[in-house]
Amino acid sequence: MSEGSDKLILNVGPQHPSTHGVLHFRMHLDGEVIERVDPEVGYLHRSIEKISESRWYEQIPIFCDRVDYTTAMTAVLGFCLAVETLYNKNEIKVPERAWYLRVVVTELQRIASHFLWLATFGLELGAFTVYMYAFREREKVLDLFEEIAGERITINYPEIGGFGRDMPEGWAEKALKFCRELDHHLDEIEDLLTNNPIFLARTKGIGAISGPQAIDYGLTGPNARASGIDFDLRREEPWGPYPELDFKVPVREEGDVYARYLVRIEEIRQAGKITTQALDKMPGGRIKADLPRKRWNIPTDFLQQFGIKSRIRTGIPRRLRPEPNETYFRMEGPRGEYGVFIVSRGSV
Amino acid sequence: MTEELKKTITDKFEKAEFYENAIGLVCVVAPEKFREAALFCRNEPSLAFDFLNNYTAADFPPERFEVFAQMYSYENRIKLTLKTMLDRSEPRVPSLVEVWSAANWYEREMYDLFGIIFAGHPDLRRLFLPEYWIGHPLRKDYSDDRLVPKPEVLSE
């Protein structure tokens, strides 16, 4: 703090007790007004790009869940779908049932992620009841995930080509029951917030982002839609059965905190509807495609290091080995566009 | 649509080359034309690439880095990847921050992890790693023993 002025540099984070991986803000304050913020990121960076350089394609989904631990299912699935785009359509034929199950798990993940946002949002505004209600609902989704995948937070359920195991018996009924009750529980939360004068005073007109600003800074997902950008990748660049499902894309024009709140609340409702439809329409059959695995040609000079003279023909597992290609696959994650960029060079 | 798009760009940039793969249509330009081409793609009404979707690099030792800027147009609902190849011994390319604000952190990330210099970037600092870090981890020849920074640098 320099003498005779109200200018102050305040460090916020990264050791915030409520969160695991956070960022560090260096705030330049003039009295109570924040003049400039210098964010310091990278505390949660897992170097997945570097690790992936030395792994097989099948091994990489295992740590994609760490990209964002609140949307693990979407993150893992995004990578799997990106690898599938490296192949021609007829090389990996993902069964219909797997496509529908993919929709179900990503939409449930969207609900869980939005509830986490709603809970902490409420908590920081002093609305502790909202925190309890929202966490109660999120917990139900996590219970569903635990039953289907074995994990609650860092889930490794989707695989390249489908799923390793089908959903357990009775799981679909439980998920449908959750979706049926979802609207009622959201109404409970909305009763507490949507028309609450204290809540309105603290969210309306706050942090407004205009549409052109949102595009220029690369804002996507619910945040962009709250700024009047009518764009949802589930509708514009759909994968799987999304074109056959009926859902609305909520858009608001205001771009402030309140608009973002309303967009996300409506997205939870829509996600519940999509899940119900996908579970109703889900056909039977297989859950995983046959993968076009190829023999792994180990260079002879590599083998010579171990005293092996000739090329080994047996005992080496077959692996996915896409042709040299580049791909960028993007999907609508709970927090906006989730994209995976892969450059393949014809090796494992 | 693709042919029109190609024509619009080649009319302005004669040396631009095109190819297509799983990423979609890719336009390869020389590094010195990179910023100019990006600005043209954003401002030309028939293209109007207003959104920088993804902006990253890949290392191809020993000779080159490839920088990919993936653009999307909300108005025309089309996408295009702008690509340029840099000399690996002296990777330098004009910055795109003036074209899209979103490019700012992407360029800091590439500077941090690949060591690519973006000329004209307003604030070219490392994004993830501390300033005293040695080397650029996403280069293919980055070795493990340098993962720990030298103690004498740390004590400064």
Side-chain angles (χ1 to χ4, degrees), chain A residues 50 216 326 328 330 337, chain B residues 19 53 70 77 101 137 139:
Chain A
K50 192 73 194 169
D216 187 33
E326 292 153 354
Y328 178 74
R330 55 179 189 160
E337 181 176 318
Chain B
Y19 69 88
N53 193 314
Q70 282 163 270
R77 309 268 145 148
S101 306
R139 290 192 177 193

Side-chain angles (χ1 to χ4, degrees), chain B residues 31-32 34-36 55 86 90-99 107-108 111 115-124:
Chain B
E32 57 275 11
F34 191 53
R35 188 174 166 278
E36 218 177 299
Y55 185 18
L86 309 180
E90 209 206 331
R92 214 180 154 79
V93 66
S95 163
L96 300 188
V97 178
E98 280 171 41
V99 188
E107 288 184 353
R108 281 180 62 190
Y111 165 68
I116 299 171
I117 307 288
F118 290 90
H121 189 285
D123 181 27
L124 199 62

Side-chain angles (χ1 to χ4, degrees), chain A residues 292-298 311-321 346 348:
Chain A
R293 292 199 168 100
K294 285 190 206 154
R295 204 183 288 282
W296 181 18
N297 285 329
I298 302 171
R311 187 160 273 192
I312 303 177
R313 275 320 201 168
T314 52
I316 301 169
R318 286 158 189 265
R319 296 283 167 205
L320 282 180
R321 196 148 61 86
V348 290

Side-chain angles (χ1 to χ4, degrees), chain A residues 242-248 270 273-274 277 281:
Chain A
Y242 272 114
E244 285 132 52
L245 302 171
D246 173 40
F247 62 98
K248 282 199 211 73
Q270 293 299 329
K273 280 195 190 122
I274 298 172
Q277 289 174 44
K281 288 186 179 173

